[in-house]
């Protein structure tokens, strides 16, 4: 009984740790959103004042913003569905999720996986990631000055198969989400939203810097 209780307590500690990570990512997303908005407004202003230098960059930044917001909000819908299907609610007093209770592993498993294949919802999330990547790269085009940024972006949203601890290659979605507790999956989704915000910030700074050089 004592060992079982220790295992349960350890599990709660891990769940709580994921929750704290999620809160950090969520806080970072708010802060980065505010910074990105300021950068975007700066680019738009410069585009109006010096169109010959910044009009193209400002236009690209606005496109990046729309694409990023669409994908960010899509991930948010998935997070809301995860909470709803798991019957988890945010504490109205603390504003926190019930980290230690979010131990269900079957929520996204049932939503995204069926046997060795993906469900329509599983296919949809992968398709959405690929569309986001494609749309961002289309805005950047083939300009050599964006080459490094594109490489970093590709690495950040790489969905190629992953080699597990047994040396077997498995699908990215399977490796990252199948069989994980709800709070872990929720945290990873918030982390993906953070990647979107970081991408946006990187692009905006790149547009400002490259045009000023």
């Amino acid at each position: 009984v004592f060992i079982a209780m220790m295992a349960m307590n350890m599990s709660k500690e891990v769940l709580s740790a994921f929750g704290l990570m999620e809160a950090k990512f969520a806080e970072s997303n708010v802060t980065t959103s505010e910074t990105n908005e300021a950068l975007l407004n700066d680019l738009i202003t410069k585009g109006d004042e010096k169109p010959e230098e910044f009009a193209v960059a400002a236009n690209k930044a606005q496109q990046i913003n729309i694409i990023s917001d669409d994908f960010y909000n899509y991930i948010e819908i998935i997070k809301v569905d995860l909470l709803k299907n798991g019957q988890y609610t945010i504490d109205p007093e603390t504003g926190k999720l019930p980290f230690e209770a979010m131990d269900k592993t079957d929520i996204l498993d049932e939503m995204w996986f069926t046997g060795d294949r993906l469900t329509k919802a599983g296919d949809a999330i992968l398709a959405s990631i690929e569309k986001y990547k494609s749309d961002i790269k289309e805005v950047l085009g083939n300009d050599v000055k964006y080459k490094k940024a594109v490489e970093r972006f590709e690495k950040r949203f790489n969905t190629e198969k992953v080699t597990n601890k047994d040396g077997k290659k498995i699908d990215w979605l399977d490796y990252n989400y199948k069989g994980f507790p709800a709070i872990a999956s929720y945290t990873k989704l918030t982390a993906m939203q953070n990647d979107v915000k970081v991408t946006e910030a990187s692009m905006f700074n790149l547009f400002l810097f490259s045009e000023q050089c």
Side-chain angles (χ1 to χ4, degrees):
V1 174
F2 176 76
I3 294 175
M5 289 179 65
M6 284 293 290
M8 181 179 68
N9 289 335
M10 180 65 75
S11 176
K12 285 186 176 182
E13 289 176 2
V14 173
L15 295 172
S16 183
F18 269 112
L20 292 173
M21 287 174 59
E22 196 282 329
K24 289 289 186 182
F25 279 124
E27 182 180 354
S28 176
N29 289 346
V30 172
T31 302
T32 310
S33 293
E34 293 172 352
T35 302
N36 288 354
E37 184 177 357
L39 287 171
L40 178 60
N41 288 335
D42 189 19
L43 276 163
I44 292 173
T45 299
K46 289 182 183 299
D48 290 338
E49 295 175 347
K50 300 178 180 179
E52 67 284 356
E53 294 181 36
F54 290 98
V56 173
N59 182 56
K60 286 182 181 294
Q62 290 176 83
Q63 291 181 64
I64 294 288
N65 178 244
I66 292 171
I67 293 166
S68 297
D69 280 353
D70 285 347
F71 185 54
Y72 186 99
N73 292 334
Y74 173 76
I75 300 171
E76 190 65 28
I77 291 171
I78 295 173
K79 289 168 60 180
V80 170
D81 286 344
L82 191 158
L83 295 180
K84 181 180 178 181
N85 292 336
Q87 298 183 335
Y88 302 122
T89 56
I90 296 174
D91 189 315
E93 293 185 5
T94 65
K96 294 182 179 180
L97 292 166
F99 305 146
E100 295 182 359
M102 296 178 68
D103 57 353
K104 294 179 182 178
T105 60
D106 59 348
I107 302 173
L108 289 187
D109 283 5
E110 293 179 358
M111 289 171 60
W112 290 354
F113 307 100
T114 174
D116 295 330
R117 296 179 293 105
L118 296 179
T119 63
K120 288 183 178 179
D123 284 330
I125 179 65
L126 279 179
S128 295
I129 294 172
E130 293 307 315
K131 183 179 186 304
Y132 168 66
K133 290 163 62 177
S134 176
D135 289 348
I136 292 291
K137 288 188 290 184
E138 184 177 351
V139 171
L140 296 177
N142 298 318
D143 195 322
V144 67
K145 65 186 175 185
Y146 301 140
K147 183 180 178 181
K148 290 291 185 182
V150 171
E151 290 175 355
R152 289 192 293 269
F153 172 66
E154 283 276 17
K155 186 176 181 179
R156 195 177 296 133
F157 288 94
N158 183 16
T159 58
E160 293 179 359
K161 288 190 174 185
V162 183
T163 302
N164 66 10
K165 61 182 180 180
D166 299 321
K168 181 181 178 181
K169 285 188 175 291
I170 60 177
D171 290 336
W172 179 86
L173 202 65
D174 190 305
Y175 181 86
N176 283 281
Y177 290 96
K178 193 172 186 179
F180 282 89
I183 185 57
S185 295
Y186 192 91
T187 299
K188 289 182 180 184
L189 290 168
T190 305
M192 191 186 299
Q193 288 178 311
N194 186 254
D195 284 338
V196 173
K197 292 298 178 182
V198 168
T199 294
E200 202 173 28
S202 298
M203 298 304 174
F204 291 172
N205 278 300
L206 178 61
F207 294 151
L208 281 168
F209 177 76
S210 63
E211 297 307 322
Q212 289 175 333
C213 289

